[in-house]
Amino acid sequence: MYLFGIGTDKDLQLAYHHLTSAAAKGNTFAKGYLAAYYYKRQMYGRTISLGRELLTMEDFKSSAKTQGCPVDHVMRGVSIGCYYYALCCQYGYGTLKDCEFAKDLIKKVSSIKHTEEKNIKFIDTANSLQNYYGA
């Protein structure tokens, strides 16, 4: 992945190109990572917009079937997008500070089950935030 330099050189321009292209075609996984991309570049309005869109997703199986990807990819995309949306709400980046709403988002992220071990670090981060808020 160009975003992280995994198996290739890190190239943010190529990452942005591929993420926006895939997100425009409806790929949830790409939308989640695009929200992360925007957050890291302090583009909070765009982070929030994607987070709100991903927050409305509920039927992961049918979304995965429509997108032609594994259900885990849809769940991961939703989780990542909601996580960065929660950070914006927690700190008041691009929106009014709302720690209660951030806590609710973290609960949603924590409730989405991931089956791949690669997600353990992400889940631990989400659970740490949930513990921080006392959720």
Side-chain angles (χ1 to χ4, degrees):
M1 288 185 65
Y2 292 110
L3 185 60
F4 303 109
I6 298 172
T8 186
D9 292 333
K10 188 174 183 177
D11 187 331
L12 297 179
Q13 285 182 322
L14 274 175
Y16 179 75
H17 170 74
H18 290 295
L19 288 172
T20 55
S21 177
K25 294 175 183 173
N27 186 291
T28 304
F29 187 75
K31 288 179 183 181
Y33 278 101
L34 189 56
Y37 175 93
Y38 288 144
Y39 182 86
K40 300 281 186 183
R41 278 139 201 88
Q42 300 179 356
M43 301 168 79
Y44 303 122
R46 291 182 181 189
T47 303
I48 291 166
S49 178
L50 279 172
R52 284 180 179 154
E53 179 183 339
L54 293 169
L55 183 61
T56 64
M57 293 191 71
E58 293 182 7
D59 188 357
F60 301 137
K61 287 183 181 180
S62 69
S63 293
K65 187 176 181 179
T66 301
Q67 296 172 34
C69 68
V71 175
D72 285 350
H73 287 194
V74 173
M75 293 187 323
R76 189 181 311 159
V78 170
S79 295
I80 291 169
C82 289
Y83 171 75
Y84 283 102
Y85 181 24
L87 290 179
C88 288
C89 293
Q90 176 186 357
Y91 296 112
Y93 296 155
T95 187
L96 295 175
K97 187 174 183 176
D98 188 345
C99 291
E100 283 301 312
F101 185 64
K103 181 171 70 171
D104 291 341
L105 287 173
I106 295 302
K107 283 181 184 178
K108 180 175 178 81
V109 169
S110 297
S111 71
I112 297 173
K113 304 295 182 207
H114 299 278
T115 58
E116 296 180 36
E117 289 186 23
K118 292 183 230 174
N119 294 313
I120 291 174
K121 183 177 180 183
F122 177 78
I123 292 169
D124 287 344
T125 302
N127 287 337
S128 295
L129 284 172
Q130 185 175 7
N131 290 336
Y132 173 79
Y133 285 116

